[in-house]
Amino acid sequence: MTLAATAGLLTTGPATRAAAETHGFLSPTGVEIAFLLVGLVTFGAALVTVTTRQLVHAALWLVVTLGGLAVEYLLLTAEFIAWVQVLIYVGSVVVLLLFGLMLTRAPIGRSPDADSGNRWAALTVAVAAAAALIWVVVDAFRTTWIDLDGPAAGSTEATGASLFQNWVLPFEALSVLLLAALVGAIVLSRKAKAAAATAAGSSPAAPSEQDRSEQDRSKKEGTR
């Protein structure tokens, strides 16, 4: 054990030290095995989401991916983040995507045009972002061990106390920012509707089929 790890264990609590001494990569617990299996399923669903050419199937596989992330949060005893994941992403964002697909009359079957020529560039960016994220997380929590079988450390009570005691000012600032964005979107949409109505009122309306037929009938009667 390195000096940094020893110092980290001395400064942490007894539960964390016991978890670091009893658990390791060669002796995983049931929760860790379940975490790995759910992670593999989530990773597979994410791959299918970005590789399938059926838009509706992509949206449904996205539900599986986000649901797998919620299960991972539950296994990490972060129940508040798990339910937020379900309510916001699975319950709102995916439903919004499905409504968008239905309103735009997206094809149900395979869409050959639903592909991009920048697939390799996107893959390179995704791999680089994943490598950077893994490196940051591993470097930050290299000597930190959490007893997943112990009491919940990310419960709703603990998260709410930390949010409204230590992070109340950024939380309120973010809510004001979102409110300003919502008001701005409403103002811009009203301006666009007003401009469209003005353009429609200034341009002459095209005669309908009935009007054209009546004009032709009056011309024929005039020639007689």
Side-chain angles (χ1 to χ4, degrees):
M1 185 178 293
T2 62
L3 181 60
T6 305
L9 290 177
L10 291 177
T11 55
T12 54
T16 307
R17 289 199 301 269
E21 293 174 357
T22 56
H23 300 315
F25 292 104
L26 298 180
S27 58
T29 62
V31 178
E32 293 171 350
I33 295 175
F35 184 87
L36 179 60
L37 294 178
V38 174
L40 292 176
V41 173
T42 305
F43 181 73
L47 286 180
V48 177
T49 301
V50 299
T51 55
T52 183
R53 294 189 178 182
Q54 299 190 16
L55 297 179
V56 179
H57 288 184
L60 296 178
W61 279 109
L62 182 61
V63 174
V64 179
T65 304
L66 298 176
L69 289 177
V71 175
E72 298 284 57
Y73 287 135
L74 281 178
L75 293 176
L76 291 174
T77 67
E79 57 182 31
F80 177 76
I81 306 299
W83 291 119
V84 167
Q85 176 82 11
V86 172
L87 292 176
I88 295 180
Y89 288 95
V90 179
S92 299
V93 174
V94 176
V95 172
L96 181 62
L97 289 176
L98 291 176
F99 270 102
L101 292 176
M102 290 187 293
L103 292 176
T104 55
R105 297 180 180 180
I108 302 298
R110 295 177 62 87
S111 302
D113 56 343
D115 198 1
S116 175
N118 300 323
R119 175 173 295 183
W120 291 108
L123 179 62
T124 303
V125 173
V127 171
L133 182 61
I134 292 173
W135 180 80
V136 169
V137 171
V138 171
D139 185 69
F141 301 97
R142 187 182 303 274
T143 59
T144 303
W145 295 82
I146 300 175
D147 188 7
L148 298 178
D149 296 327
S155 60
T156 306
E157 180 181 1
T159 305
S162 175
L163 181 63
F164 290 101
Q165 286 181 359
N166 304 324
W167 302 96
V168 61
L169 184 59
F171 182 79
E172 294 298 332
L174 181 61
S175 63
V176 173
L177 180 62
L178 292 176
L179 178 61
L182 179 61
V183 173
I186 294 174
V187 171
L188 292 177
S189 63
R190 291 178 64 90
K191 287 183 178 180
K193 289 182 180 179
T198 304
S202 60
S203 59
S208 61
E209 186 69 24
Q210 184 177 0
D211 296 337
R212 287 196 295 268
S213 61
E214 291 179 356
Q215 291 176 2
D216 295 339
R217 190 181 302 112
S218 61
K219 290 180 180 178
K220 290 180 181 179
E221 292 176 356
T223 54
R224 291 177 184 176

